[in-house]
Amino acid sequence: MPPDVPGPTTPLPRLDLARALVALHHGWITPARFRELTSRDPAERSVLGDLRLDPARLAELYGSTVLLAKPETLSRLAEDGAVPPEEAEALGPGDWIAGRYRILEVLRGGFGRILVCEARTGEAYARGNRRVALKTPLRHRLADLGTLEAFHREAAQWIALGAHPNLVLAYGVEEHLRLPFLVMEYVEGACSLHQEIQAGRMNWLRALWIALDTARGLAYAEQRLGLVHGDLKPLNLLLTPSGSVKVADFGLSLSRALAEAQDAETLAGTPAYLAPEMWFEAPQRTARTDMYAFGATLYETVTGRTPFPPDQPWLNRVQAAPDPRRIQGDLPSPFADLILACLDRDPDARPGGFQELLPALEALHLRLLGTAPPASPEPDAPAQADALANLAASWTNLGRLAEAVEAARKALRLDPDHWKAHCALGEARLRQGDPGGALASFEAAHRAAPGEVAPLLNAALAARDGGEAQVAAAWLERGLRLCEARNRYVDLDTASLLLVEHLPGEEALALLDRILEEDPAAVMTWNNRAVLLRRLGLPAEAAASADRALAINPLYAKAWSNRATALVELGRLEEGLEAAGRALELDPRLAGAYAAKAAALARLGRLEAACACIRNGLRLLPGNALLLRAEAAYDR
């Protein structure tokens, strides 16, 4: 047991809300157990022992991330944390993400998921496999727009860093079932520095190499983006089987390049690694607070314990860090002095950043060992054009369209025939409201890769959005022929509405059912199947198909809208009214939901409310043909 963890005879402090949140975050206690522990009067709450954690987990609990927030904020997080995950969170091994990543393992937490996956497409890099790690927030937390914004900010910063041997590589962002997924490098066989410290496998020489690799990665991040990591600690340093270090988890990072909508005073951190100045009002995350966390991490690496007792980390406000040589007598004095310099109570006395610290570490290695430090291995990363195409697609998914266009054009300057870059450029142009430019990009993608389905279907979608129905039908037909030749139809999911719009009803239904046979979770196909079944005069079957879409993704607004329309047609007016209301809560720009809600209200004899509903819709969607027809009908 680590020396700073309370032993059987040491009185345990009372349970505080923050530590209970940490235990829930790690999945060590259930939501029900969390509610039980935190619903007691604060003065009567049981001691931490009531968590019933083994010593290793208790040690991690004392060093794990907690929120330094106002009591009311912690209370709100407690209420959120006690919410059991929705059924829609239940992605598991064997499921597919965006049709490209098959889940092998799910690592669960209270605030998010890490999914270890195997990529269906893409190159196997130097490690010899196609494994990646996908990070996503829990669905019920996305109701808070701040959570989504924070996730997007982390993803944007991490992706913008690019490849470096000492940073976990972020490939890009995918979207699946309206959830964002950050696709990251999977470091096979890696363990955290925290695990190695707990196992007693550290010495000062390994600590020096770890310090060098960590500083290399963060000096690069500092130079490239002016990045402050914000949560540096042993749990966020991965040790690869070759012995090198990769810095992970940029969820609390701040950067000059992406400074908008960021607030350095919005603090979440890990108490044992927080600089003294962080305990005062209006703390600021800076390069020097990162430096303190780096010093605390090195101190723990060489001694096995944090500089101050885990339950009293705030002592650093009034006491200097103890000399690590008192615990580890063989620690060279120059290395101990460097650690203590990083831990100085005065921020101005610490090294100013990792670009400044790195040469000092390299000189220390030469002084102590007589040789220059070994270089880190080259990053296991895609070619530059591939990486830029991934970056362009990711910027589009994050809504940063100008940056998406720029990244795609950079990729095409490196490789003019890079079909994925052409597609990424087309998708960004389509989102920018330029269907003609998007169609030109998708045509170029098809010329570069005539055997790929995606450019054909994207070209059909761009032509449809540009009002060229015949051109859209021609591109769709080419896509269908390629699917038939491959005997694979699941790629049609994203274009399934085109099948409804351009093919005879029975033929379209057969193709939709074929997609669902290949992928029962093809949520867009279930939804568009509901559209088709309504057009075929089968509202009961349409409602059932919309229900299948909603079972997969309860936040799919268009499926709620289609369900509402089908229910109104079936005369189930109250249910239809409820479904339309849910659709508009999720997306207030759905004309079909306004029309369905108004129809239900009118048939319930609430004509004035129906007219008001249509007027509300027209305020957001002026000139919408469906709503204008409804307005004319109800105003008579």
Side-chain angles (χ1 to χ4, degrees):
M1 182 184 298
D4 284 335
V5 177
T9 60
T10 306
L12 287 164
R14 291 191 177 276
L15 174 68
D16 62 87
L17 190 54
R19 286 198 173 105
L21 278 166
V22 170
L24 179 66
H25 166 77
H26 283 287
W28 295 339
I29 59 175
T30 65
R33 179 71 175 145
F34 179 84
R35 282 193 294 270
E36 176 192 340
L37 290 169
T38 57
S39 62
R40 305 171 185 171
D41 185 279
E44 301 298 327
R45 281 183 186 151
S46 174
V47 295
L48 277 169
D50 262 15
L51 287 172
R52 295 195 288 272
L53 301 180
D54 61 43
R57 283 182 170 175
L58 189 60
E60 188 168 347
L61 178 66
Y62 268 95
S64 222
T65 299
V66 299
L67 295 169
L68 301 180
K70 298 177 181 177
E72 56 267 27
T73 303
L74 281 174
S75 297
R76 178 180 56 77
L77 288 169
E79 293 171 4
D80 290 346
V83 177
E86 301 174 10
E87 291 184 10
E89 304 283 5
L91 291 167
D95 290 338
W96 288 87
I97 304 296
R100 296 180 58 194
Y101 305 99
R102 184 171 63 86
I103 300 174
L104 303 176
E105 182 182 3
V106 179
L107 307 178
R108 301 177 185 275
F111 299 92
R113 298 282 189 271
I114 299 289
L115 311 176
V116 179
C117 300
E118 182 175 45
R120 169 179 275 163
T121 58
E123 299 78 4
Y125 300 122
R127 62 184 177 272
N129 64 42
R130 295 180 297 189
R131 290 192 178 182
V132 292
L134 273 63
K135 179 178 182 178
T136 187
L138 293 177
R139 185 182 301 282
H140 73 267
R141 296 196 175 277
L142 293 181
D144 176 8
L145 290 179
T147 299
L148 184 58
E149 290 170 2
F151 181 86
H152 281 182
R153 183 169 65 243
E154 176 191 8
Q157 291 176 168
W158 204 336
I159 293 164
L161 282 172
H164 186 276
N166 300 119
L167 301 177
V168 172
L169 174 63
Y171 297 117
V173 172
E174 297 278 359
E175 188 173 285
H176 178 63
L177 304 183
R178 304 302 170 92
L179 276 175
F181 290 84
L182 176 60
V183 185
M184 304 175 295
E185 170 186 12
Y186 174 70
V187 187
E188 187 152 25
C191 63
S192 71
L193 174 58
H194 171 81
Q195 291 171 302
E196 292 291 275
I197 293 170
Q198 293 295 306
R201 289 192 285 265
M202 283 291 116
N203 55 49
W204 72 262
L205 181 56
R206 285 196 76 190
L208 179 56
W209 288 335
I210 287 166
L212 276 159
D213 274 0
T214 303
R216 284 167 174 163
L218 292 175
Y220 167 83
E222 192 176 84
Q223 183 273 330
R224 185 172 176 85
L225 293 180
L227 197 73
V228 173
H229 185 278
D231 197 20
L232 193 58
K233 59 185 176 182
L235 279 168
N236 286 337
L237 299 180
L238 299 183
L239 308 186
T240 71
S242 67
S244 64
V245 176
K246 288 181 178 287
V247 182
D249 199 344
F250 290 87
L252 300 183
S253 60
L254 296 170
S255 74
R256 288 192 306 265
L258 299 167
E260 70 275 8
Q262 296 192 49
D263 182 359
E265 296 182 15
T266 302
L267 175 65
T270 304
Y273 310 94
L274 290 178
E277 64 271 21
M278 298 291 278
W279 295 99
F280 295 103
E281 188 176 355
Q284 293 285 326
R285 282 177 276 170
T286 67
R288 295 184 191 273
T289 59
D290 261 5
M291 198 56 59
Y292 183 92
F294 180 74
T297 296
L298 291 184
Y299 189 103
E300 186 177 358
T301 304
V302 297
T303 68
R305 64 180 70 179
T306 54
F308 295 93
D311 58 341
Q312 296 178 300
W314 44 264
L315 285 176
N316 63 6
R317 293 181 298 179
V318 294
Q319 297 179 13
D323 193 320
R325 285 165 288 198
R326 297 177 188 170
I327 303 169
Q328 198 65 37
D330 67 344
L331 179 65
S333 291
F335 195 8
D337 291 341
L338 183 143
I339 293 171
L340 289 171
C342 294
L343 289 170
D344 200 292
R345 289 169 57 204
D346 180 2
D348 293 333
R350 298 175 208 143
F354 289 98
Q355 293 178 89
E356 175 185 324
L357 182 68
L358 183 56
L361 284 167
E362 292 171 340
L364 181 63
H365 190 282
L366 182 62
R367 177 180 177 184
L368 295 178
L369 301 175
T371 64
S376 298
E378 286 300 309
D380 185 18
Q384 191 176 4
D386 291 337
L388 285 165
N390 289 342
L391 180 59
S394 299
W395 287 139
T396 297
N397 285 331
L398 291 169
R400 302 170 71 104
L401 302 180
E403 288 154 294
V405 169
E406 181 183 358
R409 285 176 172 161
K410 284 182 179 178
L412 291 169
R413 284 196 290 271
L414 292 172
D415 180 358
D417 292 324
H418 199 291
W419 74 269
K420 290 183 180 179
H422 282 296
C423 274
L425 180 57
E427 288 164 3
R429 284 173 163 170
L430 199 57
R431 290 273 294 273
Q432 287 178 324
D434 179 14
L439 180 56
S441 291
F442 295 134
E443 289 171 342
H446 173 62
R447 289 193 297 272
E452 295 290 339
V453 174
L456 298 169
L457 299 179
N458 284 332
L461 289 167
R464 191 273 306 270
D465 284 4
E468 301 182 64
Q470 290 185 335
V471 176
W475 282 107
L476 176 62
E477 180 59 32
R478 295 169 78 174
L480 288 173
R481 286 201 299 268
L482 187 52
C483 289
E484 184 179 2
R486 290 180 165 189
N487 195 31
R488 174 184 162 84
Y489 291 87
V490 70
D491 296 325
L492 294 169
D493 179 42
T494 57
S496 52
L497 185 59
L498 289 175
L499 304 178
V500 174
E501 292 174 344
H502 289 283
L503 298 179
E506 295 302 327
E507 182 181 347
L509 185 59
L511 282 170
L512 296 178
D513 287 343
R514 179 64 183 270
I515 295 168
L516 294 170
E517 181 183 330
E518 294 181 16
D519 182 7
V523 66
M524 292 179 70
T525 298
W526 281 113
N527 180 55
N528 291 324
R529 186 174 180 271
V531 174
L532 176 61
L533 289 166
R534 277 187 35 246
R535 293 183 181 181
L536 293 174
L538 299 169
E541 291 83 348
S545 193
D547 284 341
R548 290 295 298 269
L550 291 167
I552 299 166
N553 180 12
L555 301 185
Y556 196 172
K558 289 183 179 179
W560 281 108
S561 179
N562 283 323
R563 183 176 194 271
T565 303
L567 291 172
V568 171
E569 290 177 1
L570 289 167
R572 294 159 58 180
L573 303 179
E574 293 290 352
E575 292 175 78
L577 196 59
E578 181 181 351
R582 183 66 185 275
L584 292 171
E585 286 175 8
L586 295 167
D587 184 352
R589 299 184 62 84
L590 288 178
Y594 286 108
K597 182 177 180 180
L601 289 168
R603 290 177 62 180
L604 287 167
R606 299 163 60 185
L607 188 58
E608 185 176 338
C611 293
C613 174
I614 295 300
R615 286 194 297 272
N616 286 337
L618 284 170
R619 288 192 190 99
L620 280 175
L621 303 167
N624 181 272
L626 175 62
L627 296 181
L628 289 173
R629 288 196 301 271
E631 182 182 44
Y634 296 134
D635 278 349
R636 286 185 304 199

